[in-house]
Each structure stands twice: as C-alpha cells, then as structure tokens.
Amino acid sequence: MDQRNAAHTHVRPDGPGTTVPVGVEDPAVATDREYLRRAIALATLSPLPDPNPRVGAVLVSPTGTVVGEGWHHGAGTPHAEVEALRAAGAAARGATAYVSLEPCNHTGRTGPCATALVEAGVARVVYAQPDPNPAAAGGATTLRAAGVEVLGGLLAEEAEEVNRIWTRAVRLGRPWVTWKVAATIDGHTAAADGSSQWITCPEARADVHHRRALCDAIVVGTGTALADDPRLTVRHADGTLAERQPLRVVVGDRQVPPDARLRSDEAETLFLPGGDPRRALAELDRVGVRHAWLEGGATLAAAFLREGLVDEVLVYQAPALLGSGLPLVGDLGVRTLADALKFTITDVGLVGTDVRITMAPATKEA
C-alpha cells in the first residue's frame, strides 16, 4: 500500500476491527506526519551547501514523549540519527525514530545509521525520502531484517525539497549545473571594448552573491579568467568576504598569470586543463561537488549546453542596449530554428531594476 495515500485507509494499524471513515486521516498516520514534519524542519538546520544530504531525526517514546532530536552538522560529523540517539540515551529503546531521509546503510567517515538504530533498540522507524544514493541505500532492508517496523515514503516530496539539488545530483551521477549569466536585453554580456562592470544593478549582484553562497563550486573558462580577472568569491554588501567560500574552478588550457586574483588565498582554486565539460564534472563529482555554478564565458557555456549538461539557467537581464559586444553564448551548432535549444521558464522576478529569469531545459525535469 502506498503510505502517501494513507488518508484513505479503512483499517487502523493498531488492531483489526478498528475503522476510520473514508476521507478521514487515521490519527496514527496524522501523528506520524506531525513528528516527521518536525524531522524535516530539523533537516533545514543542516549546512548548505555540503556534499552530504541535510537530514533531521526525532525519537519519540511509546508514550508519545520526544526523547531525542538531531540533525546533520556537515561532512564528517555524526549523522542526524546518531545525534538523536545520543540525546535520548537509554530512552531510545522501544522508541520510534522519525527521519527525513532513509537511514544510511554504509560506512563512510561514520558508521551506518541503520545499524546504530538497531543497536539502540529502536522499535519503529518512519522515514520520508528514500535514499537515492546506491552507496548508502538499503537501510530500510537492514532495519526490517533486524525486526524493526519500518514505514517509508511518508511526506517524501516535502523531504526531497530540502535536498532538491543533492537529490538531483545523486540521480544524475554528476554535479547539478546552474548556468548564471548577466546580459543586456539584446543579449550582450560585455560591450565592444570588453567592459562589463557593471551590466546589472547592485541588487542583482547581491542576489548573485547570495546564490553563489549556496553552491559548492563556481566554474569559469580561461577566457573569462584572463579577460575579467574575476575574484569569484562570495562577498557581503560591504564588500567583505563571507566566511565560507565555494571552490573556484577554471577550465581550459591557457595559463592564468601568477598575479591573477583567482590565485589569491581568498578561496581555493582548482585548475582543470582541457575544455571537456564531462571530464570537468567528473572531477568535481570526485571532490564532492554537488552544485556547480557556471559563470562563463560564452565558449564554456556553449560547450556545456551542447553536451546537455546545463540543468538550470539563471538570467539577470538589465534594461540596457549595446547593439554590439560579446554574445551571451557561443556557437551551439544550431543552424535552423527547429533545432533551437528550448527552455521552460520556472520563475520570473524583478530584482532592483533588472529582471531575473529562471529556466530549465524543456526536455529535463523542471
């Protein structure tokens, strides 16, 4: 039975002969939802970005008392279930664990959470999102084999939204790629003389820094690195550096000068020779990048687009005309309108004096 449709269940799980009217949610299921929503809320306290998913856990005694809570504090730290078990201590025995993501079943920097729950004597586990990661999935099977009652898939969509990018990256087997571009309404990212600072307004640039901070890596080509000498850092409104900086990534074979700002100690920089987007993403996946923020330039963006490796497009469009200058994107190999790359607009908003348009490739999940 699909537990997400449990509101239409006639027979209660606490005994035969006890019925619930059609269209009325079983009180036991309503209670599960309540505690599971608390676990999902705790998951939002986990750091973003992080190579690991954001997870929250709540332990509830047989009498309905919350005896432990926890959330994942970042790579290398105890998982949410372990945090909750430590908080509960001996009270974990016989309790129900509510977890936003299926308890993991593998040993990495920490041990498998499914085993920890079994050893603590937890009697029942209710989780929302099944783990899409083949390396960590299978926790539900381990729990059931140990005699633990398991209910999975309840509020799965709500839980998945907390880990939207992480989930999609795991399913793709590579980092999720957001292509960000700032352009005039006639599609130029710089004037004929190469000047580009600033096409967009201060509010739009602040929005970019906020979104950069949520990514694992900022990617540019050597053309952009040489032409713009960018910092590619996350900065506050007063220009000071944010405490956490995404990995800076430069793709291409041209040498970046020793005095380039990308070689500063403001943030770590990874230089990837060659221009193959798939190889670049494979290397980023290897170092734990889940969300890559592609900033340019036109040639590198075109290479990603030709390979179908752009999952989201974020356009900041300024109300200005240049008439000539650097194009928004390079050659895509399109020779006729029928072959144009199509996108679905998922959001449009005004940011200061500029328009921010969010799009997804029409053939991809929006």
Side-chain angles (χ1 to χ4, degrees), residues 44-70:
T44 65
L45 301 177
S46 296
L48 185 69
D50 191 83
N52 294 328
R54 307 164 87 194
V55 184
V58 178
L59 284 171
V60 180
S61 73
T63 60
T65 301
V66 174
V67 294
E69 292 185 338

Side-chain angles (χ1 to χ4, degrees), residues 196-344:
S196 61
Q197 296 182 347
W198 297 101
I199 284 178
T200 53
C201 66
E203 293 85 352
R205 297 198 296 275
D207 191 64
V208 167
H209 280 276
H210 169 71
R211 291 168 183 265
R212 270 183 179 179
L214 301 178
C215 298
D216 299 299
I218 306 170
V219 185
V220 298
T222 50
T224 296
L226 294 171
D228 296 345
D229 191 23
R231 294 170 68 184
L232 297 188
T233 53
V234 175
R235 300 183 294 278
H236 300 300
D238 62 1
T240 58
L241 289 171
E243 181 178 354
R244 182 206 165 271
Q245 294 293 329
L247 175 68
R248 301 183 294 194
V249 182
V250 182
V251 180
D253 289 322
R254 286 189 281 179
Q255 291 297 311
V256 176
D259 60 348
R261 293 196 289 185
L262 279 170
R263 293 190 181 275
S264 73
D265 59 3
E266 292 181 327
E268 182 182 355
T269 304
L270 177 64
F271 293 90
L272 297 178
D276 185 337
R278 293 191 183 277
R279 290 183 61 184
L281 289 181
E283 179 59 22
L284 293 182
D285 182 69
R286 189 188 69 80
V287 298
V289 170
R290 299 294 189 187
H291 189 184
W293 177 266
L294 178 63
E295 288 220 1
T299 300
L300 186 63
F304 272 79
L305 287 162
R306 287 196 304 268
E307 292 292 321
L309 295 174
V310 171
D311 306 293
E312 180 180 55
V313 182
L314 199 60
V315 181
Y316 293 85
Q317 194 169 53
L321 292 167
L322 286 173
S324 63
L326 298 182
L328 182 139
V329 67
D331 184 12
L332 296 174
V334 174
R335 298 295 175 260
T336 180
L337 185 61
D339 295 332
L341 301 186
K342 301 293 180 65
F343 296 86
T344 299

Side-chain angles (χ1 to χ4, degrees), residues 1 16 20 46-47 62 68 74 102 115-116 149-150 155 162 168 174 199 209 228 260 283 318 329 352:
M1 179 178 62
V20 177
S46 296
E102 178 185 3
T115 301
E149 181 186 345
V150 179
L155 304 182
V162 175
R168 294 178 179 187
R174 61 163 176 81
I199 284 178
H209 280 276
D228 296 345
E283 179 59 22
V329 67

Side-chain angles (χ1 to χ4, degrees), residues 50-52 74-79 106-112 287:
D50 191 83
N52 294 328
T77 66
H79 289 190
H106 81 305
T107 300
R109 297 190 199 181
T110 59
V287 298

Side-chain angles (χ1 to χ4, degrees), residues 32-44:
D32 284 343
R33 289 177 184 271
E34 176 187 352
Y35 289 124
L36 201 50
R37 283 202 169 95
R38 173 60 182 167
I40 294 171
L42 288 171
T44 65

